[in-house]
Amino acid sequence: MNYRHAFHAGNFADVFKHTILIGLLDALMQKPAPMCYFDTHAGAGRYDLRGDEASRTGEYSEGVLRLVGVTDPPPALRRYFDLLDSINDGAALPEMRVYPGSPLIAACLLRAGDRATLCELQPEEAALLRTLFARDARIGVHQRDGYAALAAMLPPKERRGLVLIDPPFETQNAEFRAIETALGNACARWATGCYTVWYPIKQREQTRPFHRWFAGTGMKKVLVAELLRQPDDSPLRLNGCGMIIVNPPWQFDLQLEALLPILHRHLSLGGGSWRVQWLARD
Ligand SMILES: C[S@@+](CC[C@H](N)C(=O)[O-])C[C@H]1O[C@@H](n2cnc3c(N)ncnc32)[C@H](O)[C@@H]1O
């Protein structure tokens, strides 16, 4: 396991994933009943954009920094900007130093009665998470395999909530198959949960079997959002990425249709595209 998210924090894939995550959490929190957030691959939770790792790749300059100058952002993007401002003590986008991982985003948005379960296999990353949330009683950190934890810990007692599956994809095709197994088991235990899965797009053919898998599961509502920042014709580049959303909140497709053209306009490296499509809909 070599992957360290600190090298990639704030890149275009994070912008895409985290704005969608915010939209999902906000939509679920429209209802007053408590909810649970489950992060199977949590990372360190918080990243220093001036730190050694992020500086070495500079990926955030092709990601979050490209959003400088967005005017009239849709709600999820507005919330993303507000959250970046607040964790950077008001420092505006180009000067910001701290980039939030999915656990910190969730912690900022969740209410007093909500709960989060964070799984992270890497001991150093899990230790950082523990330190970050040491004083937050809503949040449990587990240094364990996120897929196994899903099987063991669902359904949550709240019976409402969101699962984020965001693996490193060090083993391309095997990771897709691991997600299918974990998600199939999770949905069998908790059919009404909302699940979202991030995946990379290098060449289109690699994602087709994954999409076909959903069509064969009998899941009733499955939405996919994809953002390509350049043509998907090279197996060596991260040309784009996608998110699957199982049981999305009502009219979430419309939110995505407002968000993705703006992300594409600002994050494209030339060409590319975006799309929102139902893989299953009852
Ligand atoms: C893409 S990063 C997560 C980023 C994070 N979700 C975010 O948005 O800020 C993937 C993380 O999964 C961890 N990881 C790898 N395999 C894992 C597993 N089987 N279970 C839990 N965590 C794992 C890696 O150490 C890495 O920190």
Side-chain angles (χ1 to χ4, degrees):
M1 239 184 10
N2 294 317
Y3 185 93
R4 292 291 177 283
H5 197 67
F7 289 99
H8 311 291
N11 69 2
F12 86 99
D14 263 6
V15 174
F16 170 77
K17 170 179 54 186
H18 292 153
T19 48
I20 292 177
L21 174 65
I22 288 172
L24 287 170
L25 286 167
D26 271 348
L28 287 166
M29 287 189 296
Q30 293 297 309
K31 292 193 181 151
M35 62 165 278
C36 161
Y37 169 71
F38 200 113
D39 203 326
T40 57
H41 297 71
R46 174 182 199 277
Y47 304 94
D48 181 357
L49 295 183
R50 310 263 169 78
D52 187 40
E53 294 97 332
S55 306
R56 249 195 276 169
T57 62
E59 287 189 18
Y60 64 92
S61 53
E62 296 298 330
V64 63
L65 290 196
R66 278 183 161 232
L67 300 181
V68 175
V70 170
T71 50
D72 202 15
L77 197 50
R78 173 80 270 151
R79 286 277 270 170
Y80 178 69
F81 290 149
D82 290 347
L83 200 146
L84 294 178
D85 280 356
S86 81
I87 62 169
N88 281 282
D89 297 325
L93 251 189
E95 280 83 44
M96 62 177 271
R97 176 165 191 159
V98 180
Y99 189 80
S102 49
L104 184 55
I105 290 173
C108 289
L109 300 188
L110 291 177
R111 302 157 300 186
D114 297 326
R115 207 166 52 86
T117 296
L118 312 175
C119 298
E120 170 56 50
L121 202 50
Q122 249 297 321
E124 291 87 2
E125 309 287 85
L128 289 168
L129 271 182
R130 283 214 176 89
T131 307
L132 183 59
F133 297 117
R135 294 207 199 112
D136 194 333
R138 302 170 305 166
I139 295 175
V141 176
H142 303 261
Q143 193 206 317
R144 64 183 292 193
D145 173 39
Y147 295 128
L150 258 192
M153 296 167 92
L154 292 186
K157 64 176 191 287
E158 295 83 358
R159 301 273 165 173
R160 297 188 62 242
L162 173 67
V163 175
L164 169 65
I165 301 178
D166 179 25
F169 280 90
E170 286 177 306
T171 53
Q172 278 278 325
N173 287 337
E175 196 80 71
F176 281 114
R177 305 295 82 81
I179 293 170
E180 291 164 6
T181 305
L183 201 50
N185 291 336
C187 287
R189 295 174 67 89
W190 186 33
T192 55
C194 178
Y195 299 85
T196 188
V197 182
W198 180 91
Y199 60 90
I201 303 176
K202 293 180 176 174
Q203 282 179 307
R204 169 81 35 209
E205 304 84 71
Q206 291 170 326
T207 59
R208 284 209 179 101
F210 186 49
H211 289 184
R212 273 200 298 273
W213 178 81
F214 284 94
T217 56
M219 291 177 191
K220 301 254 187 307
K221 286 194 180 73
V222 184
L223 190 58
V224 62
E226 289 188 341
L227 178 68
L228 287 166
R229 60 177 178 164
Q230 56 198 347
D232 55 347
D233 56 1
S234 162
L236 301 175
R237 292 186 312 223
L238 184 60
N239 297 312
C241 56
M243 276 180 95
I244 298 278
I245 305 157
V246 178
N247 298 328
W250 189 61
Q251 295 197 328
F252 198 68
D253 51 338
L254 304 185
Q255 271 208 51
L256 292 171
E257 283 169 5
L259 174 67
L260 292 198
I262 297 173
L263 294 187
H264 178 253
R265 195 177 320 133
H266 286 266
L267 299 173
S268 167
L269 297 176
S273 57
W274 64 273
R275 72 175 178 129
V276 175
Q277 196 186 325
W278 289 96
L279 295 180
R281 193 181 198 180
D282 59 0

